[in-house]
Amino acid sequence: MKNISIYVNQHKDRFLNELIELLKIPSISADSAYKDDVIKTAQVVKTRLEEAGCDHVEICETDGYPIVYGEKIIDNNLPTVLVYGHYDVQPPDPLILWNSPPFEPVIKKTDLHPEGAIFARGACDDKGQMYMHVKAMEFMTKTNQLPCNVKFMIEGEEEVGSSNLAVYVKENQKKLKNDVILISDTGMIAKDVPSITTGLRGLSYVEVEVTGPNRDLHSGLYGGAVANPINILTKMIASLHNENNHITIPGFYDKVENLSKEERAEMAKAPFSLEAYKKSLDIDAVYGEAGYTTNERNSIRPTLDVNGIWGGYTGEGAKTVIASKAFAKISMRLVPHQDWEEITQLFKKHFESIAPKGVTVNVKPHHGGQGYVTPIDSIGYQAASKAYFDSFGKTPIPQRSGGSIPIVSLFEQELKSKTILMGFGLDSDAIHSPNEHFGLFNYYKGIETIPLFYKYFTELSK
Ligand code: BES
Ligand code: MN
Ligand code: MN
């Protein structure tokens, strides 16, 4: 592609300022207090897509937050790339742990980002990465180098499960017809180690409630004589892993894909330092399922984690009380072939079965999705690999990620096309955590790499 780095360099301040404007809007999909901001963000995305050269840009209403759709069809005989991203963000709390307010973006240097990184909620997940595609589109249209058709579909409910997008995709298969789906909502191994994400884990998210006595009780008068829901809940949760950190739910591992020795050896080649990993998290040891390495534990193996637990008295000082109820939110990350609805049922059945007499248990499924794996011999993967080679000077490493984007497997099912996950974030960018950031190097490099994908994908499709 002609002049891509020159173009990015010429416009880099504007590219950054536009992203800053987007990051200032608190588009927190989980919190209804931010409803107007989420809707406003969709409007801004619409305007930016129009400015970048998309036609027929529209705000598609759903039962939840809108989907922004835009396209540029230059020739029906050419391939079509469908870009997906999300404009919603995670809640920023706890606010006290942020070094600067989450919706007042600032540029700061870090050890890993000596040229600067932009700090704000959504900087990496996914406003920054989504916006790289808008700017790549601008470059291709403004310099007359768009080699194929493009469709954009940017949603506002990824962080809350994409249920309305699923409906939209099922109802709009013709409109969304494409030859490949392109997403930047994952990470890369390191700034000098480009990688392409070839797998995502599935997810089953549940909330559990344990109820004991019909009211909160004096812990002296009743303590020892009735089941304490918090004691029981923590005991039940502890029993979900055995001494080898295997999950004890019967049937949980039945469909888990077992990787061959060769595949595991291939995975182990990716550069990784356990010492640096521990140091970056200030831990003296890693922890996980026996028989697997850290990178296996967080990608090819399923897991179960408590995400939140509450009940009883948590205010200042002490209150002697046995709570009537205890609660927890639990997520299970799943691997290919495990069906999330089946796993949810297995969890429910097991969790109810281990409840002792004296309490009742209620398991409420939240949301979930299937895992995803993509082959590395597809045209899409090859095009992405060549694009990275041109912009980084290195062939990218295929890598399975531990995160989830549940809608990706639905895309494959409904639209019959493969997804290419070109992520430019780093694990240390603190997505979902306080002080989320995105390196300026990564942002600009992403903008430079994306048009090359279009070019090679079009060439290889011939
Ligand atoms: N972009 C992330 C997923 C991700 C991040 C995948 C890094 C791979 C590497 C996405 O926004 C996300 O947070 N997904 C949720 C699931 C969703 C249903 C809430 C997740 O993985 O927890
Ligand atoms: Mn995301
Ligand atoms: Mn996320």
Side-chain angles (χ1 to χ4, degrees):
M1 286 241 159
K2 277 212 318 267
N3 296 338
I4 175 75
S5 38
I6 296 172
Y7 190 91
V8 172
N9 202 38
Q10 265 171 1
H11 297 276
K12 67 183 220 267
D13 291 341
R14 178 171 57 83
F15 285 3
L16 184 57
N17 289 331
E18 288 171 7
L19 176 57
I20 289 175
E21 288 311 308
L22 202 59
L23 290 169
K24 281 184 186 167
I25 320 172
S27 50
I28 307 165
S29 51
D31 188 342
S32 57
Y34 294 88
K35 186 165 181 237
D36 293 349
D37 291 302
V38 184
I39 292 167
K40 189 172 152 203
T41 310
Q43 293 290 347
V44 174
V45 172
K46 173 174 185 270
T47 308
R48 296 308 190 197
L49 281 175
E50 282 165 348
E51 289 167 357
C54 282
D55 301 325
H56 316 295
V57 186
E58 47 177 340
I59 301 262
C60 306
E61 297 301 335
T62 71
D63 285 345
Y65 288 121
I67 293 153
V68 189
Y69 179 84
E71 61 180 32
K72 182 125 196 131
I73 308 298
I74 54 172
D75 180 345
N76 278 316
N77 296 315
L78 287 169
T80 301
V81 176
L82 174 68
V83 178
Y84 162 82
H86 62 96
Y87 64 81
D88 64 320
V89 301
Q90 283 278 323
D93 57 86
L95 283 174
I96 179 129
L97 296 180
W98 285 77
N99 298 325
S100 55
F103 298 105
E104 292 172 29
V106 287
I107 314 291
K108 278 186 290 192
K109 294 187 164 100
T110 72
D111 286 351
L112 283 177
H113 298 292
E115 55 306 293
I118 180 160
F119 283 76
R121 172 57 87 227
C124 177
D125 184 12
D126 182 39
K127 284 174 175 166
Q129 296 213 69
M130 175 271 286
Y131 206 64
M132 299 181 314
H133 287 268
V134 182
K135 294 299 97 179
M137 177 73 177
E138 173 193 313
F139 163 73
M140 291 186 288
T141 57
K142 294 280 166 0
T143 63
N144 288 316
Q145 296 190 82
L146 183 66
C148 61
N149 305 312
V150 192
K151 296 174 177 175
F152 275 87
M153 178 170 68
I154 312 297
E155 72 154 317
E157 297 187 309
E158 196 278 340
E159 299 292 7
V160 291
S162 304
S163 55
N164 292 300
L165 180 68
V167 175
Y168 178 83
V169 170
K170 286 181 187 157
E171 286 173 355
N172 290 282
Q173 290 177 336
K174 250 219 189 101
K175 175 177 177 178
L176 301 174
K177 193 174 172 308
N178 66 80
D179 298 284
V180 71
I181 298 167
L182 185 61
I183 304 180
S184 296
D185 193 22
T186 55
M188 59 194 282
I189 294 176
K191 276 164 78 184
D192 56 350
V193 189
S195 57
I196 298 173
T197 304
T198 51
L200 293 164
R201 285 197 285 192
L203 180 71
S204 164
Y205 202 107
V206 298
E207 187 169 321
V208 299
E209 179 192 78
V210 173
T211 308
N214 62 3
R215 58 191 165 90
D216 289 5
L217 302 173
H218 188 290
S219 67
L221 296 183
Y222 289 92
V226 296
N228 176 332
I230 301 177
N231 291 9
I232 301 292
L233 174 62
T234 50
K235 209 164 157 179
M236 287 168 73
I237 288 171
S239 78
L240 296 175
H241 290 94
N242 69 14
E243 66 285 1
N244 290 318
N245 277 316
H246 291 303
I247 294 155
T248 56
I249 300 168
F252 186 84
Y253 290 101
D254 283 1
K255 296 194 176 159
V256 167
E257 171 198 46
N258 282 310
L259 267 69
S260 66
K261 258 201 187 126
E262 290 73 27
E263 284 171 292
R264 290 177 68 184
E266 201 54 43
M267 270 190 76
K269 285 187 192 159
F272 176 72
S273 155
L274 190 59
E275 281 317 306
Y277 185 83
K278 289 192 287 190
K279 190 153 180 273
S280 74
L281 300 173
D282 283 328
I283 49 176
D284 58 4
V286 291
Y287 187 90
E289 189 182 2
Y292 295 92
T293 65
T294 294
N295 276 334
E296 290 173 338
R297 287 170 178 168
N298 68 20
S299 66
I300 60 163
R301 297 299 296 167
T303 55
L304 182 152
D305 279 291
V306 178
N307 293 247
I309 184 163
W310 69 101
Y313 182 69
T314 56
E316 198 184 330
K319 177 186 178 190
T320 49
V321 66
I322 292 175
S324 162
K325 285 176 186 289
F327 306 83
K329 291 184 193 277
I330 298 175
S331 69
M332 289 163 276
R333 296 282 169 173
L334 310 175
V335 296
H337 311 317
Q338 280 183 299
D339 178 76
W340 78 271
E341 296 187 83
E342 193 182 325
I343 293 292
T344 306
Q345 284 316 310
L346 289 178
F347 175 91
K348 186 172 158 65
K349 200 172 145 218
H350 177 66
F351 208 69
E352 286 166 356
S353 80
I354 60 175
K357 285 212 172 86
V359 299
T360 54
V361 165
N362 186 11
V363 176
K364 194 172 96 189
H366 264 281
H367 58 78
Q370 313 294 39
Y372 184 71
V373 265
T374 191
I376 63 169
D377 56 5
S378 68
I379 294 177
Y381 187 92
Q382 294 304 322
S385 183
K386 279 160 137 338
Y388 279 95
F389 185 82
D390 282 7
S391 62
F392 285 85
K394 280 181 190 168
T395 299
I397 298 173
Q399 190 204 29
R400 289 219 209 169
S401 171
S404 309
I405 311 177
I407 201 71
V408 171
S409 73
L410 187 117
F411 287 160
E412 178 159 84
Q413 187 193 311
E414 298 295 325
L415 306 175
K416 313 274 178 261
S417 48
K418 293 267 174 255
T419 292
I420 302 300
L421 298 155
M422 291 175 70
F424 292 89
L426 302 181
D427 282 354
S428 53
D429 286 347
I431 63 170
H432 294 207
S433 304
N435 304 310
E436 175 178 354
H437 54 282
F438 190 34
L440 300 186
F441 169 88
N442 302 62
Y443 179 53
Y444 295 126
K445 212 57 172 174
I447 300 172
E448 284 181 34
T449 308
I450 291 162
L452 294 162
F453 172 83
Y454 284 71
K455 174 183 142 181
Y456 287 123
F457 186 75
T458 308
E459 281 176 20
L460 291 172
S461 298
K462 277 186 187 134

